[in-house]
Amino acid sequence: MAPRITVIGTGYLGATHAAAMAELGFEVLGLDVVPEKIEMLGRGKVPMYEPGLEELLRRHVAGIEGSTGRLRFTTSWEEVGEFGDVHFVCVNTPQKHGEYACDMTYVDAAFSSLAAVLRRPALVVGKSTVPVGSAARLAGLLRELSPAGDEVELAWNPEFLREGFAVRDTLHPDRIVVGVSGEHGEKLLREVYATPVGEGTPFVVTDYPTAELVKTAANSFLATKISFINAMAEVCEAADGDVVKLAEAIGHDERIGRKFLRAGIGFGGGCLPKDIRAFMARAGELGVDQALTFLREVDSINMRRRGHMVELARECLGGSFLGQRVAVLGATFKPDSDDVRDSPALNVAGQIHLQGGQVTVYDPKGMANARGLFPTLGYAPTALEACRGAQVVLHLTEWAEFRELDPAALGEVVAARRILDGRNALDAAAWRDAGWAFRAMGRPQA
Ligand code: UGA
């Protein structure tokens, strides 16, 4: 019989994983400690914006007309223990307050609660991003606290999904990495992932520490790539070069590649910034902090971008924000998401507001979350309304909607035709042709 699956923690990762497992044909039970989330998911509603996820969920949630009924949700640990053969732990690991290290409170609590209800053989699979060494410790905890003892096995299976592409990345991952301690775990996971593996997805088997490190290494590499091109943007700006052309030209070299070389106001979100910091903190504990000193630089190049955007805007307004109206297009940390965690766009908006600017923000999906985090900023229901009367427009998250704006129409409502492109995504020539002073990061001023 096919293994029955549980998913613990129903955020981006868990909700998507649970729906994807049901799509692959498994019976799935999802658990979260927040009853409101479980109630919503049980009705086939997704608590965040993620393209395609709600459709996938509704195809499988029990009780929804026409669904397969393979997916259910609960808040009961007992039910999870009784139901599952394979338990995926997908809770988050945020940055600790006032420290670089990551906060393992949720992971530790989930493992303790789960262990207590494991009364028969089971495979527990960690998916959360954790400091290297955690899996070995958690395997011990499971053995110690589970009534089933040695019949409970642990595997570590990091997740590489991107917000905005969560469904596609989960159903068709570019690799599956599993850190295991024995053959049984590998065999079960090969069964769980038989469909993507059958489609050609590489299945990489490692030990625990390597599996944990693969995840942090991958995110560190991505962060480094972005900061590299942003460092080039700084030099381009000083030398009157064009970082967009530079990225295109170096990207033709396959060893470098074109992806993740978009210069602008830098990376944010719930993953890259906190993951590189947690990695540095862990390296320090392991006595190899020098190996990751470069990540400090990656982090500071990245944070400098936000400050630089504020500087460009101030310069554009003749040296001060006082009494000036500033339109901000974009609040989320990237397009096709409603996530505003550590969003560079909101950080820039907030800094300008604190320096006396009258900031009005518009974002296609992130308004509610942005309001929650920065209630004192102004918000408008459309891009056009946000720009009404503005002395300068800042393009800070590259939603498709903003690329489609008509420069002439927008020119009618602003107080001055000035735009700064913080994502190098707008068509400079089209804006300049419509009479706008257009400036982008790391590109020559016309
Ligand atoms: C990132 C990784 O890409 C995923 O592989 C990983 O699974 C995930 O973290 C995670 O650890 O859970 P995500 O946070 O969704 O995914 O966002 P990315 O697409 O990596 O973008 C991160 C930030 O970098 C965004 O603010 C984006 O605007 C910025 N970025 C990206 C650039 O500034 N330039 C680029 O060229 C690419």
Side-chain angles (χ1 to χ4, degrees):
M1 227 176 72
R4 295 201 299 186
I5 288 174
T6 82
V7 175
I8 291 145
T10 58
Y12 272 100
L13 171 55
T16 314
H17 192 68
M21 287 292 120
E23 175 78 3
L24 294 180
F26 297 99
E27 295 288 328
V28 184
L29 182 63
L31 174 139
D32 203 288
V33 293
V34 182
E36 294 77 31
K37 263 197 206 168
I38 288 303
E39 192 270 327
M40 266 184 97
L41 289 162
R43 283 188 289 118
K45 290 259 163 246
V46 178
M48 62 267 179
Y49 175 73
E50 182 61 45
L53 181 54
E54 195 149 301
E55 290 81 342
L56 189 69
L57 200 74
R58 296 182 68 83
R59 258 214 302 282
H60 300 293
V61 171
I64 290 185
E65 211 189 306
S67 82
T68 63
R70 288 200 286 263
L71 177 55
R72 289 185 304 112
F73 292 95
T74 184
T75 52
S76 157
W77 287 101
E78 283 298 336
E79 208 182 330
V80 159
E82 209 163 290
F83 179 88
D85 302 303
V86 181
H87 303 275
F88 284 98
V89 179
C90 299
V91 296
N92 65 338
T93 48
Q95 188 175 337
K96 262 192 198 162
H97 196 68
E99 276 180 53
Y100 268 17
C102 94
D103 180 352
M104 289 290 283
T105 316
Y106 305 117
V107 174
D108 289 345
F111 270 81
S112 303
S113 304
L114 178 63
V117 297
L118 295 177
R119 300 198 165 80
R120 61 187 180 84
L123 178 68
V124 177
V125 188
K127 268 190 145 340
S128 308
T129 302
V130 294
V132 60
S134 303
R137 175 175 68 79
L138 293 164
L141 185 132
L142 283 177
R143 268 195 307 274
E144 199 183 304
L145 299 184
S146 306
D150 286 348
E151 292 189 313
V152 175
E153 203 178 312
L154 177 72
W156 213 265
N157 169 218
E159 176 60 54
F160 307 103
L161 70 79
R162 298 159 296 170
E163 289 182 20
F165 299 93
V167 170
R168 198 175 81 195
D169 287 350
T170 307
L171 286 172
H172 310 286
D174 53 13
R175 80 281 210 192
I176 294 165
V177 177
V178 297
V180 291
S181 63
E183 278 174 20
H184 174 67
E186 179 185 339
K187 196 171 148 273
L188 250 181
L189 283 170
R190 280 192 186 276
E191 205 178 327
V192 168
Y193 290 121
T195 306
V197 171
E199 285 168 359
T201 299
F203 189 85
V204 184
V205 182
T206 73
D207 49 29
Y208 290 153
T210 309
E212 292 165 311
L213 283 169
V214 167
K215 170 69 189 201
T216 27
N219 275 2
S220 299
F221 193 84
L222 294 173
T224 304
K225 231 180 153 182
I226 300 170
S227 278
F228 173 82
I229 202 64
N230 278 330
M232 294 305 110
E234 284 187 26
V235 179
C236 279
E237 225 166 280
D240 224 11
D242 183 343
V243 75
V244 174
K245 274 278 162 221
L246 182 140
E248 182 191 325
I250 62 172
H252 284 304
D253 183 334
E254 276 180 17
R255 293 168 304 174
I256 297 172
R258 183 67 191 83
K259 289 182 183 156
F260 264 63
L261 284 184
R262 213 170 353 91
I265 55 172
F267 60 81
C271 302
L272 299 192
K274 67 113 177 149
D275 284 356
I276 60 169
R277 291 172 195 153
F279 200 15
M280 284 187 267
R282 186 65 186 131
E285 289 169 4
L286 293 168
V288 286
D289 42 345
Q290 271 194 339
L292 298 188
T293 313
F294 75 97
L295 286 179
R296 235 173 259 285
E297 204 50 50
V298 166
D299 203 3
S300 33
I301 293 169
N302 189 52
M303 296 312 279
R304 232 169 24 232
R305 301 308 285 164
R306 303 172 184 193
H308 185 51
M309 185 40 136
V310 175
E311 288 300 320
L312 287 180
R314 190 190 297 107
E315 198 180 289
C316 205
L317 294 173
S320 166
F321 289 116
L322 286 180
Q324 304 271 24
R325 297 186 65 132
V326 178
V328 166
L329 300 182
T332 53
F333 83 104
K334 69 180 206 180
D336 297 316
S337 163
D338 64 357
D339 196 342
V340 298
R341 284 178 295 171
D342 200 0
S343 164
L346 268 190
N347 182 299
V348 168
Q351 285 193 52
I352 294 176
H353 170 72
L354 290 174
Q355 291 175 33
Q358 292 175 27
V359 180
T360 308
V361 179
Y362 166 72
D363 187 278
K365 296 286 176 198
M367 298 290 270
N369 287 340
R371 263 205 192 90
L373 202 62
F374 282 95
T376 51
L377 294 174
Y379 293 93
T382 62
L384 206 76
E385 283 312 312
C387 294
R388 195 172 293 283
Q391 298 288 343
V392 64
V393 176
L394 311 187
H395 173 247
L396 301 184
T397 312
E398 68 278 33
W399 286 91
E401 180 179 328
F402 299 147
R403 283 195 296 281
E404 285 153 18
L405 283 170
D406 174 6
L410 214 67
E412 296 299 315
V413 303
V414 292
R417 295 186 178 200
R418 298 188 192 108
I419 186 160
L420 296 177
D421 185 1
R423 290 297 185 178
N424 278 319
L426 299 176
D427 179 353
W431 288 84
R432 286 184 180 132
D433 287 350
W436 287 74
F438 180 98
R439 189 154 178 200
M441 300 180 94
R443 307 196 75 179
Q445 291 189 58

